Amino acid sequence: MKSLDLAVRAASVLLLAQAAVHASPGAVSASKPEPALLSTNDAAPLSTLTTSTVDGDSLAVSDAEVETASIRGANIGGVFLIEPFIKPSLFDQFLSGSNPADIPVDEWTFSAALGKAEARRQLEEHWDTFVTRDHLESLAENGINWIRIPIGYWAFNVTDDEPYVDGQVPYIERLLEWSRDIGLKVELDLHGAPGSQNGYDNSGRRGTPEWLHSRVNVDRTLDVLSKMTGLAAEWSDVVRGIQILNEPSRWKWEVKDIFGFYNEAYDLVRGLAPDVYFMIHDTFLGPKEWPTLVAPRWTQALMDTHIYQMFDNYMVTMNESAHIDMVATMAEDIVKFDRSSIGVVVGEFSAATHDCTKYINGLGRGSRWEGTLQGVTDKPLCPFANCSCTGDYGSNYTEFSGHYKRFLRNYIDAQLDVYDQELVGWFFWNFRTEGAPEWDYLLGVEQGWIPKFPRTAVPKPEVSSSSSGDDESGSAAQSGASRSRLCLGEWACGAVAVLGTVVAASAALAML
């Protein structure tokens, strides 16, 4: 009976996985970049599914080519809804001399602390500089053919009593114009709803979610979707997808109520844009339960799922080999759903397998890795004898060992083997960051742990219980724990089998 109890507990922990994270690299390290230790296929031709270049001029491909291609996308996160871990410098300005309780932790408190005039000044500078045409061209040159643009509701509907500032739409339209010129397709993503749909900072307001507690909030959300879909209709050759809401929490709302909103949103979107992809999030349900979120009458519908392996106490304890093996375990039922129902897009994933990244669990919170995440763990959970957010697990990619870079490449390749080949496609989170290397697509391509396209998969190395031998920092060498760590024994493997798949992650629920 004890083993059964442990299995139930393991299943409970895994079900509490949450995907509330995002990233974007503001300024890449000013030091000279370390030469990439991995092949980045520099000699391979650029993917003909995005753009080609002749005498320095970018040539957009036809709509037909892009529409029939797998979605290979990057999130333009942290721009029109700021998050502390994507651009920490926006929030670090408040740290000196401030009462910790008064330090902003999301866009709501950021704007409230500065006041509308100063918040607008700082945010307009951020909107103007954090994502540029050069960034989009670099993404396209390395095989990206779609971008996902997360947007807070206040860009379209803000009230006088809310601290948020608007003015984002001209900058969004500039992105659409650049995308048209370059040959990128776009998904517009409603990332934050009135009242907060999940209570995470990625909704714009951290704390207790109030979204479905008020019909006023729902009506405002539908108004925002109407305006967002109207924008999509104006740019119909560029905007090919509308995500009606990012990560509404099924832990906070009844699934039937979320589905009721999805149905209302479908009628609204279809009335304005008959052909655009109608994209819904899985609300953190397992794939076997996804049919409860889908109506048979829907057309051009896609399921969005977010897959991370670091927002969970159990997953943080896994060694490198276990993380790679877990990719297939987590994806098995997702692939089955994709083949039997509507298509699936992995709207968020990254190269990270630890939660050391600054502010990744929220500003002012610690990490499971070092055992400092209050309310979640009081002991370090990393798979090593000594747990430290330095070296391979720090924010300075120039300190990454050759061993760790190869692991990152193998981990990304394991994910792309499924997301790129078996599903409709994917969007990496994020296009860039300010000191979160494993979350930075452009940096990953530059350094070689993210492939250019067409890609050549890197063979998976044999992982033994001994050190890998060429680990410069020594930290990655500790990852050769027994293969049984993947399931912590047969009882947990049974729990994983019952769950089918674990999608996205975080026990941050306990902190709300």
Side-chain angles (χ1 to χ4, degrees):
M1 287 298 101
K2 181 178 180 181
S3 63
L4 177 60
D5 178 63
L6 287 173
V8 171
R9 287 168 52 201
S12 177
V13 168
L14 291 177
L15 279 173
L16 284 175
Q18 183 269 118
V21 274
H22 306 99
S24 66
V28 177
S29 174
S31 59
K32 183 178 180 180
E34 178 184 19
L37 299 182
L38 309 173
S39 168
T40 54
N41 302 325
D42 288 333
L46 298 179
S47 173
T48 57
L49 298 178
T50 53
T51 61
S52 58
T53 303
V54 178
D55 295 331
D57 294 324
S58 181
L59 303 177
V61 299
S62 69
D63 285 349
E65 287 178 301
V66 175
E67 294 297 335
T68 58
S70 295
I71 293 175
R72 293 170 176 164
N75 280 279
I76 311 298
V79 182
F80 305 116
L81 193 164
I82 60 173
E83 297 182 42
F85 99 94
I86 292 176
K87 192 175 180 181
S89 61
L90 285 173
F91 292 84
D92 288 347
Q93 63 180 303
F94 301 100
L95 297 181
S96 178
S98 297
N99 182 331
D102 297 330
I103 296 173
V105 297
D106 51 31
E107 186 157 344
W108 177 283
T109 50
F110 171 92
S111 301
L114 292 176
K116 286 193 181 263
E118 178 60 15
R120 184 178 301 279
R121 186 194 69 79
Q122 291 195 23
L123 288 172
E124 285 182 346
E125 180 181 358
H126 173 64
W127 301 335
D128 192 43
T129 59
F130 196 66
V131 57
T132 66
R133 181 179 177 123
D134 285 347
H135 292 131
L136 298 193
E137 288 181 344
S138 293
L139 290 172
E141 288 166 2
N142 288 292
I144 292 297
N145 58 11
W146 279 65
I147 59 172
R148 178 176 182 249
I149 305 178
I151 306 169
Y153 73 89
W154 50 94
F156 300 95
N157 183 317
V158 64
T159 60
D160 291 339
D161 61 340
E162 293 175 319
Y164 294 126
V165 298
D166 57 8
Q168 297 90 337
V169 172
Y171 295 91
I172 295 170
E173 290 187 307
R174 184 173 69 171
L175 273 181
L176 299 181
E177 183 175 1
W178 290 340
S179 296
R180 172 183 283 160
D181 292 345
I182 295 168
L184 295 168
K185 297 303 177 186
V186 173
E187 172 196 332
L188 296 180
D189 159 41
L190 179 54
H191 217 68
S196 176
Q197 71 276 20
N198 55 35
Y200 304 132
D201 59 14
N202 66 32
S203 73
R205 190 173 188 182
R206 195 172 96 182
T208 303
E210 300 289 343
W211 173 55
L212 280 185
H213 286 164
S214 165
R215 183 65 208 187
V216 172
N217 287 337
V218 175
D219 288 341
R220 290 183 69 194
T221 305
L222 292 171
D223 176 70
V224 171
L225 282 174
S226 175
K227 293 171 180 175
M228 185 181 292
T229 307
L231 183 64
E234 293 176 19
W235 294 82
S236 59
D237 61 322
V238 178
V239 180
R240 300 302 305 135
I242 293 285
Q243 178 151 2
I244 58 169
L245 190 58
N246 178 71
E247 296 183 352
S249 175
R250 55 97 174 176
W251 294 292
K252 298 300 180 182
W253 322 112
E254 294 287 340
V255 173
K256 64 179 178 61
D257 294 331
I258 296 175
F259 174 68
F261 167 76
Y262 283 2
N263 252 326
E264 281 194 75
Y266 177 83
D267 291 336
L268 183 152
V269 170
R270 273 293 165 262
L272 296 170
D275 299 321
V276 73
Y277 282 124
F278 176 79
M279 307 174 79
I280 63 170
H281 183 254
D282 64 17
T283 80
F284 308 114
L285 287 172
K288 292 181 179 179
E289 299 174 279
W290 287 356
T292 63
L293 296 171
V294 178
R297 68 189 179 94
W298 292 354
T299 60
Q300 288 284 92
L302 293 175
M303 179 68 73
D304 169 40
T305 189
H306 301 168
I307 302 179
Y308 296 113
Q309 289 192 30
M310 84 295 297
F311 297 106
D312 176 82
N313 290 2
Y314 160 68
M315 288 188 178
V316 170
T317 69
M318 298 192 311
N319 63 47
E320 292 175 353
S321 178
H323 278 295
I324 290 174
D325 290 344
M326 181 62 85
V327 170
T329 300
M330 294 172 74
E332 182 177 355
D333 287 333
I334 296 174
V335 173
K336 290 179 182 177
F337 181 88
D338 176 89
R339 292 174 179 173
S340 63
S341 184
I342 64 174
V344 179
V345 173
V346 179
E348 295 181 20
F349 72 104
S350 76
T353 54
H354 62 77
D355 67 341
C356 284
T357 304
K358 184 177 181 179
Y359 303 153
I360 195 67
N361 292 311
L363 193 151
R365 293 171 173 167
S367 69
R368 296 169 183 79
W369 193 265
E370 292 185 320
T372 57
L373 189 54
Q374 294 182 353
V376 176
T377 179
D378 58 0
K379 63 181 180 179
L381 296 179
C382 85
F384 311 138
N386 298 309
C387 299
S388 175
C389 290
T390 58
D392 285 348
Y393 311 105
S395 61
N396 186 353
Y397 71 92
T398 65
E399 296 180 356
F400 286 180
S401 67
H403 173 97
Y404 185 62
K405 284 188 175 184
R406 281 186 287 278
F407 163 69
L408 293 179
R409 177 58 188 267
N410 285 314
Y411 181 55
I412 287 292
D413 266 310
Q415 294 183 84
L416 293 180
D417 280 345
V418 179
Y419 313 158
D420 195 66
Q421 302 298 318
E422 303 292 339
L423 304 176
V424 174
W426 49 268
F427 292 89
F428 187 90
W429 190 280
N430 196 39
F431 81 111
R432 65 184 294 240
T433 65
E434 190 181 72
E438 295 96 337
W439 300 86
D440 189 324
Y441 191 89
L442 290 172
L443 178 66
V445 170
E446 172 194 293
Q447 292 298 305
W449 60 76
I450 295 178
K452 296 180 180 180
F453 283 83
R455 74 186 182 99
T456 302
V458 174
K460 297 178 184 178
E462 293 294 329
V463 178
S464 68
S465 59
S466 61
S467 169
S468 296
D470 67 343
D471 175 28
E472 289 90 335
S473 70
S475 58
Q478 303 174 71
S479 64
S482 169
R483 169 67 174 78
S484 64
R485 286 293 293 274
L486 171 59
C487 291
L488 300 179
E490 292 182 0
W491 59 268
C493 287
V496 171
V498 170
L499 289 171
T501 185
V502 183
V503 187
S506 182
L509 292 169
M511 297 182 286
L512 296 182

